Structure formats: C-alpha cells, structure tokens
Amino acid sequence: MHTPRTGLNWQRAQALAASERASYMVRNPISAGLAQQAGQHMLFGVPMHWMNDWSTPFALTVAEANGARFRDADGHEYTDFCLGDTGAMFGHAPPAVAQAIARQSARGYTAMLPSEDAAPVAAELARRFGLPYWQFALSASDANRFVLRWLRAATGRSKILVFNGCYHGTVDDVFVDLVDGVPTQRDSLLGQVYTLTEQTLVVEFNDLAALEAALAQGDVACVLAEPVMTNIGMVLPQPGYWEAAQEIIRRHGSLLVIDETHTISSGPGGYAQAHGIAADALVVGKPVGGGIPCAVYGMTAALAARVEQAKRTAPAGHSGVGTTLSANMFAMAAMRANLEQVMTPAAYDYMFALAAQLADGLRGVIARHGLPWCVTQVGARTEFQFCPVPPVNGTQAQAILDSELEHIIHLYLLNRGLLITPFHNMLLVCPSTTGDDVQRLVAAFGECVQALL
C-alpha cells in the first residue's frame, strides 16, 4: 500500500526539516523581530490566525510584491508560485489595476451608490460568463453566503448540498464532512451553536448515485460546488460526471451554484464555460479585482426573476444580503481594469503553456525517483499529490495529505527563494512568471526529493 512517505527516508527527512528551520531563523532576523513585536498586540502574533499555518518557525514579513516576485523584510527576493492562493493569480500589482487604483484614489472610495464603472463591469461579466445578471460582494465567502440566502428564498427550500472536503470560504452551512460515511459537523469549527447537518447534505464528489439519493426528497434548494475540488487538494471530475450531475440536479428541482474562485484558472470564463457546465448561479472571488478585496455573483435570467420576486414580496427591512462597502468605487475601478486589460485570452494562453511546462517538470522529477506521487493541472493551476493517481473524492484526497511532509518541502523551497501555497502542494503561474522561474522551481524540487530519499 502506498503512503505519502513511501520511498522516503524519514530519518533523513526529519533531519532536513530541522536544518531548514535553523536556516530560516538565521536568514530572517528582521522578520523574527517583527513577529515578536506583532505578538504584543495581535492574537497569535499575526493579522489572521491561519498565517501561522505556513511551514515557517515564525511568519515571514513581506515588504513589497510586484508581478511574480516579492521581497521580504530581510531583503530576500522570492519567486511566488502561491500568488495569494489565486488572489494575485495575474501577478502582484498588475500595472493596469495599479493605474486604475491610482486614478480612483483621488476620486473617492465608497458612496453607497453606483459608480461609472458598475455597468461596464456587469456587462463584461455577463459576456464572459454567459449569465446576464450580477451582484457584488467583498469576498467569495460573502458572495456564497448571499447566493445561498437568495436561492433559499427563491425556491422556498431550506436545504443545500455540498461535497465532502469542500471549501467555500467561511460560510457556516458548508462545514459538514463525511466521517466513515456519516454526515458530521466539522469539529474544528469554532463557536458553532446550531446543528449544520439539519440543513446541509453532504455526498462524495463523483458519486452520482449518492447525489441522486440525496436530492430525491425534493427539498434541496441548491448544490454548491467547485467544478474541480481544490482546497483539499485537487479532485477532478470523472469523465461524464458533470453532464450526468446536471441532469440529476435539474430533475429534482434543485439549482446548481458553481464557485469558480479557484477554478477561474481554467480560462477567461472559468471552468464551467470551458467545459459546458450550465450553472444557475456562479461565484468568483479573490482574483477578479487583481487582488483588491471584491467578489461577484451572477445568475440566469430565470433565476434572477425568482430572486427579484422573492425580494419584492418579502416584508420591508434588511434582507441579510449585502454590506455597505460592497461594490465600492475603488473595487469597481479595479475590477473593470482587471477584467478588460489583465484577464485576457492571451494572458491565459501564456499561463497554460507555462503551467504545462511546470507540470511536466514535476512529473519528470517524480518519475526519475520512482515516487508514487502524481501531478494534476487545471489551467494555470498545478499540484503534486502524494498518491500514484489523482484522488476521485474528498475522502481519498484527505487520506493522502501529510502536513509534516508538506512543511518540509515548502520550507526547503522557501529557503531557496520559491514560495508555494501552504496547506497542500498547489502552484500557480501568472503572466509575469518566466520559463526560467519554472526551471528553477523544478530543479529545487528535484534537489529536495533527492534529499528526502
């Protein structure tokens, strides 16, 4: 039986980990001092607690970032293959977005009214994603939360369905897993005071029979899904899965919500457009504004009519949808520049070719060393996984995660000026990434693997 550590010398791996941690601490005295200072007034010593989940002994402080590179407080330069876990998927500070932000900075930030950019942004979203009606939020978490509220109101159904191992931001409803086949509220969820399993159903991705059985009662408002699971490690749909799943969802009167926040790496219109998935509603978060906090959600004309009717017939008062900074002038200016000038077909073509080069290089290293690992690519997004073939559901993806091994590899690369995404082994390329950057990453990965054998 293959495990993530099959073929590795774990005693050597642990020695390598200790050596890399020591090297990191010596290399980064200014970041160390800033981390100590931060501990005086920030919970856990970082702005968000999960920033401690990187492989580093203390947080690395970023001084500036541009394109595919950033510089830390100690003056070291890094090639960034994390890119804010798609928040900076098109590079840090894209010039067109930076210029739009500079122009808008003297013209106001927020007014609770539409700006001149609002209508062009909505029109461009409709053009590229094929959905005619749009609204805005500050994060994909908010956008998913708002969509669930709208769809429950529009359908009169209270339940939703998600896939085991999914991630859709901090939406309460989605933190339900299958534990030995039993729907279970995620035990890491803090401060939860009501039982999520009463209104959230969960099934395995790629399991059509389970999807059919879960929807058969006719009480599920919508299925919320990434078209490719990404946050537990990439899980690809099996051939024909989405064609059959869409038929099942519609036959039982449910709606399909596609979360493209990560899979926007698949093309200008996301994975759904590229692969013929006809969503009733669609969400895109982090990358749509070039790194400025914003998100969008769109829907079909038929669903929009139901949503508007639900709002018009509801009692007066707060709908539970929207925040005062949503669709602010600053974010709309950034989105317009990013959509029109940065998220172009030419940019995607370049990133696809470079990601393929990266994937091939990683596969070559794995093959040369005879490791039972695999590599998956979704557009500009590439990942190596500790299994011989890609997992087909969340349970399989969870079983191959090895945070200790991941941390060793990630820290080894970081100490050589290469950043990849924490939590799993995802890598992104952007329009500023070069072929030399990819070759350097592949070479360092190979040296790391050699050191682990």
Side-chain angles (χ1 to χ4, degrees), residues 163 208 211 215 240-250 256:
F163 292 106
L208 291 169
L211 179 66
L215 298 181
Y241 174 74
W242 273 118
E243 290 84 349
Q246 288 177 91
E247 190 279 324
I248 291 170
I249 292 166
R250 289 186 171 81
L256 175 60

Side-chain angles (χ1 to χ4, degrees), residues 102-394:
R103 287 194 303 270
Q104 190 62 42
S105 66
R107 303 178 64 207
Y109 302 162
T110 186
M112 292 178 65
L113 290 166
S115 70
E116 293 176 332
D117 293 315
V121 167
E124 171 58 16
L125 292 169
R127 183 196 68 80
R128 71 169 58 208
F129 292 106
L131 294 171
Y133 292 99
W134 291 83
Q135 290 278 273
F136 300 87
L138 284 174
S139 69
S141 294
D142 273 351
N144 281 316
R145 190 176 293 113
F146 298 161
V147 167
L148 293 184
R149 190 173 288 275
W150 283 126
L151 268 58
R152 281 168 162 155
T155 62
R157 296 179 175 187
S158 63
K159 293 183 179 179
I160 68 163
L161 183 144
V162 296
F163 292 106
N164 184 39
C166 72
Y167 182 77
H168 300 285
T170 57
V171 181
D172 288 358
D173 307 71
V174 304
F175 291 103
V176 178
D177 298 320
L178 287 176
V179 178
D180 297 326
V182 178
T184 305
Q185 189 164 297
R186 195 168 298 178
D187 58 11
S188 61
L189 189 60
L190 294 172
Q192 186 61 39
V193 296
Y194 61 89
T195 303
L196 298 177
T197 51
E198 293 178 358
Q199 302 298 335
T200 300
L201 307 181
V202 58
V203 300
E204 293 284 14
F205 196 59
N206 282 315
D207 188 337
L208 291 169
L211 179 66
E212 176 90 54
L215 298 181
Q217 294 298 315
D219 56 356
V220 174
C222 66
V223 174
L224 173 60
E226 290 184 292
V228 174
M229 294 183 70
T230 63
N231 215 67
I232 198 168
M234 285 205 279
V235 180
L236 297 170
Q238 296 296 288
Y241 174 74
W242 273 118
E243 290 84 349
Q246 288 177 91
E247 190 279 324
I248 291 170
I249 292 166
R250 289 186 171 81
R251 177 155 42 82
H252 292 293
S254 298
L255 300 167
L256 175 60
V257 181
I258 290 292
D259 184 346
E260 293 266 19
T261 298
H262 285 162
T263 55
I264 192 65
S265 66
S266 304
Y271 190 95
Q273 278 286 86
H275 295 270
I277 301 173
D280 297 288
L282 182 143
V283 170
V284 186
K286 292 178 279 194
V288 74
I292 292 295
C294 58
V296 300
Y297 60 98
M299 57 189 71
T300 62
L303 177 55
R306 296 171 72 182
V307 163
E308 290 186 345
Q309 177 67 11
K311 172 59 180 167
R312 291 191 177 106
T313 58
H318 201 293
S319 64
V321 174
T323 58
T324 55
L325 289 177
S326 295
N328 66 77
M329 294 186 289
F330 208 65
M332 299 303 279
M335 275 190 280
R336 183 174 184 180
N338 198 55
L339 287 165
E340 292 179 352
Q341 301 178 58
V342 181
M343 293 177 64
T344 64
Y348 275 100
D349 288 344
Y350 176 82
M351 292 190 294
F352 290 171
L354 208 57
Q357 180 183 331
L358 173 58
D360 287 344
L362 296 173
R363 290 188 185 105
V365 170
I366 291 167
R368 281 196 302 275
H369 294 286
L371 289 172
W373 299 354
C374 66
V375 176
T376 304
Q377 181 191 350
V378 177
R381 187 180 183 96
T382 306
E383 184 165 39
F384 60 92
Q385 295 172 287
F386 303 135
C387 52
V389 295
V392 299
N393 59 44

